[in-house]
Amino acid sequence: MSQQQRRPWIVGVSGASGTPFAASVLRGLLDAGESVDLVVSRASRLTLLDETGIAFRDAHWREDLRSWLARGADGKPDTFAVGGGALERVRHWAAGDLAAGPSSGSYPAKGMLIVPASTACVAGVALGLSKDLLQRAASVTLKERRTLVVAVRETPLSGQTLKQMVALDEAGAVVLPASPAFYAGATHIQDLVDFVAGRVLDAARVPHRLYRRWEGELGGGSRERA
């Protein structure tokens, strides 16, 4: 695909706990044939190292991303097959690169998914700050009236954060707390992670098969477990 034809989803990963959510969203986008521009904040690299043992390095980002996406939510490596062809559709931008493509409204993008989103990230985007590429890309997404999904991962929520979440909603963003449901018949931690990732992709209108959808019939999840 030529650069003129490519219209990626920008995926921003902030420093909140929940790197498995980001991995599931990325796998879902790639499985759907989407292109991805990835921005991994400095704080999120510490979280990723703590939660997975993976050090995300700018100079070796493709190798590190493959290890991350192959890892299950339970910590087991090589749980998922990650093809090289899929990774060819990913472009990585350093978080400190404010001259990167996603920093401009003229850069062609479908929208942006921030997963997980920390409260600091929520505050920065709500206030229109651009301290790094993640925040700048989110501001651009809002001003260009593109889809912005903010998967907040924090509990409890302070009054100030709640006000900032309302501000994001009023600005046109989809505020999507990382809250898994249980009606889909979850039997594994990966099921709960995939439910949240699936709801993020639903908000972006990206097709996926990450969770069993509600069909108006009670007991469907328990029957699947049986």
Side-chain angles (χ1 to χ4, degrees):
M1 182 177 293
S2 70
Q3 185 61 37
Q4 287 73 24
Q5 295 173 321
R6 185 177 184 272
R7 288 190 65 231
W9 282 100
I10 302 167
V11 176
V13 186
S14 81
S17 176
T19 54
F21 294 130
S24 184
V25 166
L26 287 166
R27 286 192 299 266
L29 288 170
L30 296 176
D31 287 346
E34 299 285 350
S35 296
V36 172
D37 276 20
L38 180 62
V39 181
V40 181
S41 76
R42 293 178 180 177
S44 70
R45 297 173 193 228
L46 298 176
T47 307
L48 182 63
L49 181 63
D50 184 53
E51 294 184 344
T52 69
I54 296 170
F56 194 90
R57 303 160 294 175
D58 287 336
H60 304 279
W61 70 267
R62 199 178 299 275
E63 172 188 344
D64 297 335
L65 179 62
R66 184 190 298 274
S67 297
W68 181 16
L69 298 189
R71 192 180 187 89
D74 59 1
K76 293 181 181 178
D78 302 320
T79 299
F80 298 96
V82 182
L87 292 184
E88 289 299 320
R89 286 184 274 111
V90 180
R91 185 172 186 178
H92 167 257
W93 299 95
D97 185 2
L98 290 177
S103 67
S104 172
S106 67
Y107 184 78
K110 291 184 176 180
M112 184 173 185
L113 316 175
I114 305 178
V115 53
S118 66
T119 54
C121 174
V122 168
V125 177
L127 294 173
L129 304 181
S130 295
K131 74 168 189 177
D132 60 11
L133 180 58
L134 193 158
Q135 290 185 8
R136 172 58 187 169
S139 294
V140 167
T141 301
L142 286 176
K143 80 180 183 68
E144 296 296 325
R145 302 297 191 266
R146 297 169 184 159
T147 298
L148 174 64
V149 183
V150 182
V152 184
R153 215 310 303 160
E154 184 61 88
T155 188
L157 293 168
S158 70
Q160 191 60 43
T161 298
L162 290 169
K163 292 175 183 177
Q164 291 158 352
M165 289 165 64
V166 170
L168 286 178
D169 177 79
E170 292 175 342
V174 176
V175 179
L176 195 152
S179 301
F182 296 84
Y183 63 77
T187 60
H188 190 277
I189 187 175
Q190 189 68 54
D191 299 325
L192 299 176
V193 167
D194 285 347
F195 179 88
V196 172
R199 295 299 288 150
V200 171
L201 295 179
D202 286 346
R205 294 179 174 82
V206 174
H208 66 87
R209 299 182 63 184
L210 287 175
Y211 68 89
R212 185 187 74 87
R213 296 183 181 278
W214 176 251
E215 297 177 347
E217 184 178 356
L218 294 175
S222 62
R223 280 196 296 275
E224 283 197 2
R225 289 195 299 271

